[in-house]
Amino acid sequence: MDSSTGLRAADLRQSNLAAVIGVLRSGDASRSELVAATGLTRSAIAGLIVELGELGLVVESAGEPTGRPGRPSPRARLIPGAVGALAVDVSVTRLAVAIVGLDGRVLRSVERSGERSDATPTSTVADIVEMAERIGVGSSDGSPALVGVGVAIPGLVREHDGLVVVAPNLGWAEVDIVTPLRDALTLRTGLDLPIGIGNESDLGAVAEARFGAGSGSRNILFVHGDVGVGGSIIVDGGRVTGGSGYAGEVGHLVVNPDGVPCRCGGSGCWETEIGERVLLGRAGLDPNGGWAAISDLMTAAARGDREVMAALALQGRWMGVGLAGLINVLDPERIVLGGVLGELLELVRDELDAELARRRFGPSARRIPVVAAELGSDSLLVGAAELALGPALADPSRWAEVAY
């Protein structure tokens, strides 16, 4: 066998292992189901299951009785917590760090809530490392083997090297966070892990498309909102990146020509009408109160507070203005709202639906479902983990070599 034939065989094996893992990430499966899902032969599946078992990634167990003659088919499943990623969500009002498993479950997490707009890249790196140590990274306490680090950032991120080009609500521009974070993690934990940085909305969209409210749909618009508002567009299962990789900055669509200045340098941007701070201000609450203030707002809404209800009505109308325009341009199958926008969706549903009906182009039957993110505040952490797991998922046989 010449070397090229050997390389092709190795590539095929790698691809087949990845295909089986990809199916099992959505839940357990029998060998017959794996055959149907991957197109591989039953004997190939059997060999791959054995190899994945030897790698400590997959286990087979007896299937449930079916009432039919014969022994139930065994079912393969991922071993919980065998392999995972360190996931980080850097936002204006919270910093969260978690270990996320292959099945998208957050296994351990810690977060700090509160205003972070004055946090520097240096202080943020120090906080991330300290919080990672608190959840067991670098210890020998049975934590999952980690194959990488993923970080969600509310701003433009250059894909090939993770440079934060600009994150206006953090006050960051041209920031390299990859190098200092890798150096600090290595020094403090002994782990030299690959690090990926991504836009928070892009990563939230990936998470919801695989594990949450977008699963089963091929064309999704994901809009995440807290202090800022960002979006991500999934078409035929893949993310639309645009010419420079920055597609999806829907929060900076101009919706109000007479609106207020935005931190991006423009004025009348969508996030100046539906962002967390403007909503809290309209409701008579602390604009910098973060999730605690949002919780107070929801409590006040439950008792019918007039000022809060008026603020929510205006929120729903402005959400409808922006979403209607995006629907008319993108024609998604489904819109998924994350962050504060998802949390408040049912409180603004009537005003939102009325605005969509008034502005939506096309037949009245053209109704695009607008739903809340199912993963809640974990969506950005799960998406960050997906970024970190990507290279390892492409070649599971190498996990034993790179995992710590």
Side-chain angles (χ1 to χ4, degrees), residues 165-252:
V165 178
V166 61
N169 290 313
L170 291 174
W172 295 4
E174 301 293 320
V175 170
D176 170 22
I177 198 172
V178 173
T179 303
L181 180 56
R182 181 186 293 118
D183 291 347
L185 279 171
T186 303
L187 178 65
R188 292 277 293 272
T189 70
L191 305 185
D192 183 10
L193 297 169
I195 296 174
I197 312 289
N199 171 268
E200 62 176 8
S201 296
D202 290 337
L203 299 182
V206 168
E208 289 292 333
R210 171 170 283 278
F211 298 111
S215 60
S217 298
R218 298 286 294 172
N219 300 286
I220 304 161
L221 172 63
F222 177 79
V223 180
H224 182 270
D226 43 43
V227 172
V229 176
S232 190
I233 307 155
I234 306 290
V235 175
D236 289 334
R239 188 173 68 83
V240 174
T241 60
S244 302
Y246 305 148
E249 287 297 323
V250 297
H252 299 289

Side-chain angles (χ1 to χ4, degrees), residues 320-353:
V321 169
L323 289 179
L326 292 169
I327 288 171
N328 292 338
V329 172
L330 300 172
D331 190 27
E333 291 176 55
R334 176 174 292 247
I335 294 173
V336 180
L337 302 182
V340 170
L341 301 182
E343 294 290 332
L344 298 177
L345 176 58
E346 294 311 314
L347 292 176
V348 302
R349 174 71 75 177
D350 290 345
E351 291 81 3
L352 171 62
D353 285 348

Side-chain angles (χ1 to χ4, degrees), residues 22-38:
V23 175
L24 294 179
R25 294 187 76 209
S26 298
D28 63 354
S30 68
R31 294 187 180 185
S32 296
E33 290 168 341
L34 288 169
V35 167
T38 63

